[in-house]
Structure formats: C-alpha cells, structure tokens
Amino acid sequence: MFNNSTQKRCWLFQNEEILENMRTEANKKFQTKVLACGKLSPVALLEPQEEEVLRKYYEKRLLEFCSAFKPIMPKSVVGTASMYFKRFFLNNSVVEYHPRTIMLTSVYLACKVDEFNVSSSQFVANLWESPAGQEKALEQILEYELLLIQQLNFHLIVHNPFRPFEGFLIDLKARCSVVENPEALRKTADEFLSRATTTDAGLLFTPSQIAIAAIHFSASRAGINLDSYLTECLMLKDNNECLSKLVEVIRCIKTLVKKYEPPKPEEVNLLKQKLEHIHSLDLGIVTSLKKRKGYEEDGTISKKSKVEEEEWSDDDLADAIFMYLSLQQIRSYECKEN
C-alpha cells in the first residue's frame, strides 16, 4: 500500500525548492569534476536552468515514445518510466549521463517492473533506427539498466494516479448524485493527468491527491461543483482542517500543471549541440561504466552500493524480490520468443 511504500518514505518532497536544490547540487558537483581536469571552461558547460530545458525535452520525448509504442503501452508503465527518469536526474547531471539513454532505459525497466512483457527486440523495434542503430541502443540500455536501478536505490515500485482515478470515478457513480455521468469527466481528466506527468507533481503529491485534482479540474470545466462530494462522500464535512488542506492541495496541483511551459525548440537545438559536444569529449574523469554500475575488475558484482549503509525495510526487500522475479519472467519470455 502507498502509505507503507518507499515512494512515500523516500521520493515525496515538501516543495519545489528542495527539488531545485538537489538538481543544482548534482549539476555543480559534476561541473567541479569537469573543471578540475582543465579541459573545458565553465562557459562550455550547462547551467542548471539549461539542464532543466533538456530534462523537459527528453521527458516529452519519453511520453511520445510510449504513446507511439507497439503494442499499446499501459498508462501505468508510462507513469512508472517517467518517475524513474525524474528520480534519476534528481541526483545526476545530464552532462554526465546522456538523457536519451536514461530515457530509454527507464522505459525498458518500467516494462519489466510493471509486467508489460515485450522482448528486447520488440522494444528496440519501436525506435526509428537502422538495425545497427537498434542493436547499439539495446547495448546501451542493458549497460545502464543496473546503474539506473542503483540510482533509484532499488525502489522500483511506483504508485501512479491512474488506479485511484478509476476508484474515484466508481465512487462518483455510486455515491454522488451531483454528477449524472461521471464517465463524461474522463477525457478532460485524462488530459490533465497526462500534463501532470510532465511536471514534478509525482515528486510532490500523492497519487490519490493528483487523481482527485484531475477529477476536480474536469468537473470545473464541465460546470459541475464537487463541494458536496468532498464534504459528504469523502466525509470531510466535520473536519475543516482536512478539507482546507485538500482544497489547497488541489489548487497547488492545478497551478503546477497550468504553469508548466514546454521547452522552446530553438533553445533545445542549441543545448543539444552543446550536450553532444561535451559527450563527444574524453574528459578523463569518467570511470568505466562497469565500475559505475558496481562491477569490479574481475566481472563480479561489487559488494559496495549506494544503499549499503541504509537499513532495508520490508518494503525495500519486497521491491528487490519483485524486481528479481520480474527479470526472471521477462528473460524466460525472451527465451521463448527467440
């Protein structure tokens, strides 16, 4: 359940300022490493606001890739992939790890975790690449998969707003006479949830809060007042404090979605050129990917990891076991396909 999840315990933050500070720290940390090698000037690197533009661009690309994916990808997989991408770049710079590779690896891992069984060949077939390009992309995805898992602290279960959204619709049908046809709210609410995915809403609010905000937004657009539902059906009539907090949360989520600005194409193109130039250089500061992933020289898994000093809860253990079983299942599926 969400209340006992690693998502609530480790990946929900108090405000946007905390997220901004984390991303700025990741940027500055890698800048310091690069400048120490003396091969680049500060002007050649990306500032935090420039990294933000590229993150937004590749988040948009992630959603477009998932939308065009064949077979049709479940919404839960899309939401999970998006959260993996956002969580990864809270503590890492796009200058150090190319966001396109992390984007594809996030989607690939989300397919496994959410049991959307597609083979690796099926997955890369969705890329607009030559066979050689698809093979290279798959190699990169497999190389970065463990790194991504480690950077997520092995917290792989993501609770998305889609399930509570369906629950609210069912509840509206059963107990809210104000809304004659709750299904009429679905289209606008779905669009709201899609836009919310491009924001940091999932790092700031619970899935149920995002879901009720989507319902409330759609109802408002349709000229329906849901105050009676909030007070009567959700039993907040006699709890003014909780009601006030919920109303404020809904307002904050709506504002967050409304103020989102997609990156400008001309700015993206300039920053992509800058990023590609940096990634093409041998800066002499990047250790081998195997070492980054936790491998030793002899090819065995390193015992050291980012979470070695953390005490694992039952939920952490469940995440790890779930991931192991999912990997075994997908590998079995791929063997049958081949």
Side-chain angles (χ1 to χ4, degrees):
M1 299 298 290
F2 177 77
N3 286 335
N4 298 320
S5 68
T6 54
Q7 181 170 339
K8 181 180 180 181
R9 192 168 72 249
C10 304
W11 297 103
L12 273 187
F13 302 89
Q14 291 296 318
N15 52 58
E16 292 179 87
E17 184 180 354
I18 294 175
L19 302 180
E20 183 179 350
N21 289 340
M22 292 175 69
R23 289 161 176 159
T24 300
E25 177 63 25
N27 172 272
K28 297 302 181 186
K29 184 177 179 181
F30 189 69
Q31 274 201 19
T32 301
K33 289 165 60 178
V34 172
L35 295 176
C37 75
K39 294 186 179 181
L40 279 176
S41 68
V43 179
L45 295 171
L46 297 177
E47 292 300 317
Q49 59 270 27
E50 293 177 319
E51 286 204 23
E52 181 183 7
V53 171
L54 288 174
R55 278 198 313 273
K56 284 184 175 182
Y57 169 73
Y58 280 101
E59 285 173 359
K60 184 171 178 288
R61 287 284 306 275
L62 183 153
L63 297 178
E64 291 171 347
F65 175 72
C66 293
S67 177
F69 198 89
K70 302 296 180 185
I72 296 174
M73 187 177 289
K75 292 178 183 178
S76 62
V77 179
V78 181
T80 296
S82 178
M83 286 305 300
Y84 286 170
F85 185 88
K86 290 177 187 295
R87 291 178 183 182
F88 182 90
F89 283 116
L90 281 178
N91 300 303
N92 295 283
S93 168
V94 300
V95 183
E96 184 171 12
Y97 300 104
H98 201 296
R100 181 180 185 272
T101 304
I102 301 303
M103 175 195 85
L104 293 175
T105 308
S106 295
V107 179
Y108 185 74
L109 180 60
C111 289
K112 292 183 178 181
V113 173
D114 276 23
E115 298 184 347
F116 178 52
N117 293 334
V118 292
S119 66
S120 56
S121 58
Q122 279 181 299
F123 185 88
V124 295
N126 282 273
L127 298 173
W128 290 87
E129 302 276 359
S130 64
Q134 292 178 1
E135 184 177 350
K136 181 179 179 181
L138 180 59
E139 289 177 359
Q140 291 177 327
I141 289 169
L142 296 178
E143 284 178 352
Y144 277 82
E145 187 177 20
L146 182 55
L147 170 70
L148 174 60
I149 293 172
Q150 288 182 326
Q151 291 297 311
L152 297 174
N153 285 343
F154 300 89
H155 300 157
L156 302 177
I157 306 301
V158 173
H159 296 263
N160 290 293
F162 308 110
R163 181 173 292 181
F165 170 70
E166 295 297 335
F168 280 125
L169 277 186
I170 293 172
D171 196 44
L172 284 170
K173 293 175 185 177
R175 299 196 296 161
C176 185
S177 58
V178 175
V179 185
E180 294 182 2
N181 181 20
E183 280 297 327
L185 303 178
R186 180 182 293 277
K187 185 176 184 297
T188 304
D190 275 341
E191 292 170 357
F192 182 91
L193 290 176
S194 295
R195 296 204 303 275
T197 304
T198 62
T199 73
D200 286 330
L203 296 169
L204 298 168
F205 303 100
T206 68
S208 58
Q209 289 172 337
I210 298 171
I212 193 64
I215 294 283
H216 196 277
F217 175 82
S218 183
S220 298
R221 282 291 183 88
I224 301 172
N225 190 323
L226 283 185
D227 288 352
S228 62
Y229 177 71
L230 298 180
T231 56
E232 301 293 340
C233 298
L234 296 186
M235 295 180 289
L236 297 177
K237 183 177 182 179
D238 299 322
N239 194 333
N240 291 330
E241 183 180 354
C242 285
L243 180 60
S244 298
K245 286 182 179 179
L246 178 58
V247 171
E248 176 61 17
V249 163
I250 291 173
R251 186 194 66 79
C252 289
I253 296 173
K254 285 183 176 181
T255 301
L256 188 65
V257 172
K258 183 179 180 180
K259 75 178 184 179
Y260 174 82
E261 294 183 2
K264 299 176 181 177
E266 59 274 14
E267 188 176 8
V268 169
N269 290 334
L270 289 174
L271 292 177
K272 281 177 67 179
Q273 292 175 19
K274 198 172 179 181
L275 180 67
E276 295 303 333
H277 173 68
I278 296 172
H279 275 274
S280 68
L281 299 176
D282 181 10
L283 299 177
I285 60 171
V286 178
T287 56
S288 71
L289 184 57
K290 282 189 176 182
K291 287 185 178 180
R292 281 202 218 154
K293 289 164 58 180
Y295 286 89
E296 300 290 0
E297 290 292 345
D298 62 1
T300 59
I301 300 289
S302 169
K303 294 181 180 179
K304 295 181 179 180
S305 73
K306 288 183 175 292
V307 293
E308 66 177 351
E309 295 180 356
E310 296 181 7
E311 182 179 352
W312 272 37
S313 67
D314 291 343
D315 197 49
D316 293 324
L317 182 60
D319 279 359
I321 293 173
F322 182 86
M323 182 56 198
Y324 174 77
L325 295 175
S326 296
L327 288 172
Q328 295 303 312
Q329 183 177 1
I330 198 72
R331 285 168 182 161
S332 174
Y333 177 82
E334 288 177 359
C335 290
K336 291 178 181 178
E337 286 288 305
N338 296 329

